[in-house]
Amino acid sequence: MPALQIDFNKSSALSGFKINNRELIKLYQEKNYDELSQKFLEIIEFYKNNIYKDLNNKEQYSIDYFLNTFLYIFTQEDYIISSNYTHLFLQNCFVISSIVAVSSFKTTDPWISMLMMQENNFVKLLTLYSFRNNIKLNIDGLFELEPYLTSMWYFNNFWVCPFTQTTFNNTVKYLNNINDKLALYPSLLHSNFHGSYYTSTYYGNDSKIRKKINELVKDKVKDIKIVNKPDKKKIAIVSGKCIKGNAVYKVCYDFISSLKEHYELTLIHLGDLTPDIDVEFFDDVKVAKVENDTINIDQIKENNFALAYFMEIGTTKESIVLSNLKIAPIQISGYGHPVSTFGSEVNYFIGGSDIEIIEKSEENFSERLVLIEGLGVNSVYPDYEIQNIKNTSEKLIINCPLIMLKRNYNLLYALRHILQRSNKKVFFRFFGLSKQLAIFNHQCEFIKEASDILGRENFEALPNLDYKSYMKYMEEGDLTLDSYPYGGCNTIFDSLYLKKPVIVIEGNNFYNRAAAQILRRIGLSPLIADDWESYASIILAFIKDDAFRAKISDKLKKADLKTSILDADGPANFKKAIDYLINNHEKLEKEESKEPIFIE
């Protein structure tokens, strides 16, 4: 039993929503377990749908107050979860884990220990167990008992963020050790397999889980028939991200534009159509959407596309499912979401000759690599007028424009190293543009973990910002930091446009090589690290060494982004690659080769 005592005489209210622990206790005492389960799920849904920038004392108390009662009752042997609620609790296991993470309890370890000594504990264990836990469970044994429910637990847990070493290590462990009984839930709509597919790259371990998911999805859609009569002038652009300002659309925009005058373009939009979808390049728009047990592709089941270009694969269920169907004889992906599918029906991956390591092409891609000159990506030139905003504080402001998944524990400990060794006062500013993951209140969890490591007075974590506000904050900063293993691209362009130096770590894939190559183009290779230790050393050198800082600033002032970073011929080279593949695909298929193709 938890050390805290349940207060029967208080209720907690947030935004008009009342949590009455006395009512919950009464339902438990009366053995009205189904109604109690329903009440629990309503409260969990409330926390899921209410996003907190930071927790004030009242909000913190409310969460602790609810969890004190919930965890006590939930781990009582006589509290029975009926079959009507089994799936609902497992679908919310990650939400429960996230609520606990921002509470004073932090993890459910004590309650897991209690449940392990009980019988009939399967559903309760999986509901309370997550990648955040220090205690170890025999998950392989649970897969043997009930593969579907354990698979639901597995897939639902991958939206965790790597703020702690425990979370990071556990996530990597589950990415590397995939149980043979892992399965998709019968309903695609309620199967959250895309979480592991998408987030795995942020842990540097994406190939195994992507291969497995592709196998599972292929089996799920094997009976879907597509009739294709290819017309060489017709291309499908597959995306759910054709929204101006979206990071994926920004890096693909000029490339899609280059095709407009030469091909008839159809947008296959993934998910529900919304008013902000940009259709300027498209002659037609079709929709593909996951519905219940399968995917609805009625609008493209009969088509005449010669080629389908996937702007991104992995950010939605629809993109993963469609990449495992053959909607066109030629299927291509690229740097919109710059990772191989590792085993889908995509034939080619278009990359940049300045980025890719040729010797690692077969290791990094299941697709055949097609290389165009340059970076292989053209971000939209920043739409922002520089306002010459200066840092007037006594502290050096360090920009950390990183979405939650990039804020890993290695980064936080590197920043603590900076605080401990800097001869100047520094202040870290975390912010970003992405709304992703907000539903799980990661902002609050991040603030708690970062406060423990950095001290709350040494950083701020801003909510999601519109582009102009984001650029104003960037402009006020003195230095920008990238992360690893998943680094930035658009944020690098933005920072350099504002003449702010960027310190990066270089790796073996586009998502941790692009920034380094951009810096080399403007003579800033001294800002490229090869591990966390050298990363911290470069940051400290920038802070402490006035001559080094002046030299970097001088080079940045002289740099012309449009001529030195953006590839003027990039869009034309992309079109050449598309032309070549359409005209030579049959011959290339007969080669049965994985050697990279170079587009001159």
Side-chain angles (χ1 to χ4, degrees):
M1 178 176 175
L4 288 173
Q5 297 300 307
I6 299 170
D7 188 335
F8 291 87
N9 300 311
K10 293 184 179 179
S11 65
S12 171
L14 279 177
S15 305
F17 186 89
K18 275 197 170 185
I19 299 170
N20 191 328
N21 279 0
R22 183 163 56 183
E23 179 187 3
L24 300 175
I25 291 289
K26 187 170 184 280
L27 289 171
Y28 168 66
Q29 290 172 334
E30 294 174 349
K31 301 187 185 304
N32 196 342
Y33 297 146
D34 274 7
E35 187 175 346
L36 177 59
S37 293
Q38 182 64 37
K39 289 288 184 184
F40 280 153
L41 289 165
E42 287 174 4
I43 296 168
I44 290 164
E45 186 71 13
F46 167 78
Y47 281 118
K48 177 181 176 181
N49 294 329
N50 284 267
I51 310 305
Y52 304 103
K53 299 174 184 177
D54 199 353
L55 292 176
N56 59 37
N57 290 337
K58 182 179 178 181
E59 291 162 343
Q60 184 68 69
Y61 176 80
S62 174
I63 288 171
D64 292 349
Y65 175 78
F66 164 65
L67 285 175
N68 188 43
T69 302
F70 170 72
L71 292 169
Y72 169 72
I73 295 175
F74 199 80
T75 52
Q76 298 304 301
E77 282 192 90
D78 59 344
Y79 166 57
I80 306 298
I81 301 172
S82 70
S83 58
N84 291 336
Y85 291 95
T86 296
H87 294 76
L88 294 172
F89 275 114
L90 288 181
Q91 284 169 8
N92 282 285
C93 64
F94 179 73
V95 181
I96 293 168
S97 167
S98 297
I99 298 169
V100 175
V102 300
S103 75
S104 299
F105 306 117
K106 287 206 167 183
T107 78
T108 57
D109 280 343
W111 294 274
I112 294 293
S113 296
M114 185 183 302
L115 286 170
M116 289 172 72
M117 294 184 285
Q118 298 178 9
E119 295 182 356
N120 302 317
N121 60 3
F122 180 86
V123 174
K124 292 181 180 181
L125 274 175
L126 286 185
T127 299
L128 295 189
Y129 193 63
S130 77
F131 298 171
R132 293 180 170 97
N133 285 96
N134 294 295
I135 199 168
K136 306 300 179 188
L137 275 188
N138 178 12
I139 295 299
D140 287 337
L142 298 180
F143 268 107
E144 289 294 325
L145 283 173
E146 180 47 79
Y148 271 124
L149 293 181
T150 310
S151 295
M152 181 184 288
W153 167 85
Y154 178 90
F155 285 130
N156 279 333
N157 267 285
F158 274 98
W159 290 112
V160 70
C161 287
F163 304 144
T164 70
Q165 187 169 6
T166 296
T167 300
F168 187 94
N169 291 344
N170 283 340
T171 307
V172 170
K173 179 183 78 172
Y174 286 114
L175 287 170
N176 285 330
N177 301 292
I178 301 171
N179 191 280
D180 290 340
K181 293 186 178 293
L182 184 68
L184 292 185
Y185 190 63
S187 168
L188 274 182
L189 185 64
H190 294 111
S191 185
N192 288 319
F193 58 89
H194 64 304
S196 57
Y197 191 104
Y198 173 72
T199 62
S200 57
T201 306
Y202 293 85
Y203 294 86
N205 286 265
D206 47 19
S207 60
K208 288 183 180 179
I209 189 62
R210 289 186 167 214
K211 286 176 184 175
K212 182 64 176 179
I213 290 173
N214 287 327
E215 290 173 10
L216 296 173
V217 170
K218 278 187 172 73
D219 183 65
K220 186 77 175 173
V221 300
K222 63 180 183 293
D223 294 329
I224 294 178
K225 306 299 181 186
I226 294 174
V227 178
N228 174 263
K229 297 177 180 179
D231 179 336
K232 286 190 173 184
K233 282 296 179 183
K234 298 196 175 182
I235 290 177
I237 305 298
V238 186
S239 178
K241 307 293 182 182
C242 287
I243 303 167
K244 287 187 176 177
N246 179 275
V248 172
Y249 197 39
K250 284 172 75 172
V251 299
C252 296
Y253 184 88
D254 286 345
F255 287 175
I256 304 302
S257 175
S258 72
L259 305 176
K260 171 62 180 170
E261 300 302 320
H262 308 278
Y263 293 96
E264 184 179 320
L265 301 182
T266 296
L267 171 64
I268 301 178
H269 177 74
L270 306 176
D272 292 321
L273 273 174
T274 54
D276 54 355
I277 301 300
D278 184 13
V279 297
E280 66 172 307
F281 299 132
F282 304 108
D283 300 286
D284 197 5
V285 177
K286 306 290 186 182
V287 173
K289 183 182 176 183
V290 166
E291 293 177 345
N292 298 319
D293 296 345
T294 188
I295 186 166
N296 183 343
I297 56 166
D298 290 348
Q299 295 183 21
I300 58 170
K301 267 191 174 179
E302 295 183 9
N303 70 71
N304 52 9
F305 307 131
L307 180 148
Y309 176 68
F310 288 77
M311 277 175 42
E312 79 284 347
I313 300 174
T315 56
T316 60
K317 295 177 192 177
E318 287 87 355
S319 63
I320 300 168
V321 175
L322 277 190
S323 74
N324 281 287
L325 291 169
K326 208 66 179 172
I327 59 176
I330 307 168
Q331 302 199 149
I332 302 171
S333 61
Y335 287 153
H337 185 59
V339 190
S340 172
T341 61
F342 291 110
S344 73
E345 291 296 316
V346 174
N347 313 89
Y348 306 100
F349 190 103
I350 296 180
S353 60
D354 287 358
I355 299 290
E356 297 299 336
I357 303 173
I358 304 304
E359 296 76 19
K360 288 186 173 289
S361 61
E362 292 193 37
E363 176 186 337
N364 289 345
F365 298 96
S366 62
E367 306 82 10
R368 190 169 183 182
L369 186 59
V370 179
L371 292 171
I372 61 177
E373 291 183 8
L375 298 175
V377 64
N378 256 37
S379 183
V380 174
Y381 197 72
D383 180 21
Y384 175 78
E385 185 177 344
I386 295 177
Q387 299 181 32
N388 297 308
I389 300 171
K390 304 297 181 185
N391 175 11
T392 57
S393 73
E394 60 176 9
K395 295 183 177 181
L396 192 78
I397 297 177
I398 299 181
N399 295 325
C400 301
L402 309 167
I403 65 169
M404 292 294 175
L405 281 165
K406 296 183 181 182
R407 302 179 193 183
N408 58 56
Y409 82 97
N410 282 315
L411 174 73
L412 291 175
Y413 278 95
L415 301 189
R416 185 172 73 171
H417 181 87
I418 303 307
L419 285 170
Q420 292 169 343
R421 288 163 177 77
S422 174
N423 62 350
K424 295 183 176 70
K425 292 181 179 180
V426 298
F427 185 77
F428 302 106
R429 176 175 283 156
F430 292 89
F431 55 103
L433 291 163
S434 175
K435 293 181 181 179
Q436 199 152 28
L437 309 179
I439 194 170
F440 298 126
N441 282 305
H442 282 141
Q443 176 86 327
C444 294
E445 183 186 0
F446 172 75
I447 289 173
K448 279 180 171 288
E449 296 298 340
S451 296
D452 290 344
I453 296 170
L454 304 177
R456 189 65 183 91
E457 71 281 4
N458 294 314
F459 77 95
E460 66 178 338
L462 300 174
N464 295 313
L465 303 168
D466 63 79
Y467 185 69
K468 284 185 168 50
S469 298
Y470 149 81
M471 289 294 276
K472 285 180 181 179
Y473 278 112
M474 286 276 278
E475 196 173 351
E476 187 184 17
D478 301 291
L479 169 69
T480 298
L481 301 183
D482 199 21
S483 190
Y484 185 89
Y486 202 109
C489 181
N490 288 308
T491 53
I492 308 302
F493 282 118
D494 291 337
S495 190
L496 296 178
Y497 170 78
L498 296 171
K499 305 301 181 183
K500 306 297 176 183
V502 189
I503 296 173
V504 307
I505 301 177
E506 185 171 26
N508 294 320
N509 302 88
F510 174 89
Y511 52 80
N512 50 39
R513 290 181 62 78
Q517 188 57 33
I518 290 168
L519 291 177
R520 286 192 182 96
R521 286 188 169 197
I522 54 176
L524 293 182
S525 55
L527 300 183
I528 303 170
D530 52 22
D531 56 26
W532 287 107
E533 184 178 353
S534 57
Y535 178 80
S537 297
I538 295 169
I539 298 170
L540 285 170
F542 184 88
I543 294 170
K544 294 180 177 182
D545 190 334
D546 294 340
F548 177 69
R549 191 165 61 253
K551 183 179 178 181
I552 295 297
S553 296
D554 185 57
K555 285 193 174 183
L556 255 180
K557 286 175 183 175
K558 295 176 181 177
D560 184 342
L561 275 188
K562 284 188 174 178
T563 58
S564 59
I565 295 181
L566 297 180
D567 289 325
D569 296 330
N573 290 335
F574 176 80
K575 180 187 171 293
K576 282 183 187 177
I578 297 296
D579 294 344
Y580 178 84
L581 293 173
I582 286 177
N583 292 320
N584 294 278
H585 172 64
E586 290 183 9
K587 181 182 74 173
L588 293 170
E589 284 244 293
K590 291 175 184 176
E591 291 178 4
E592 296 184 353
S593 171
K594 290 296 295 294
E595 287 289 317
I597 299 166
F598 292 86
I599 304 298
E600 300 295 334

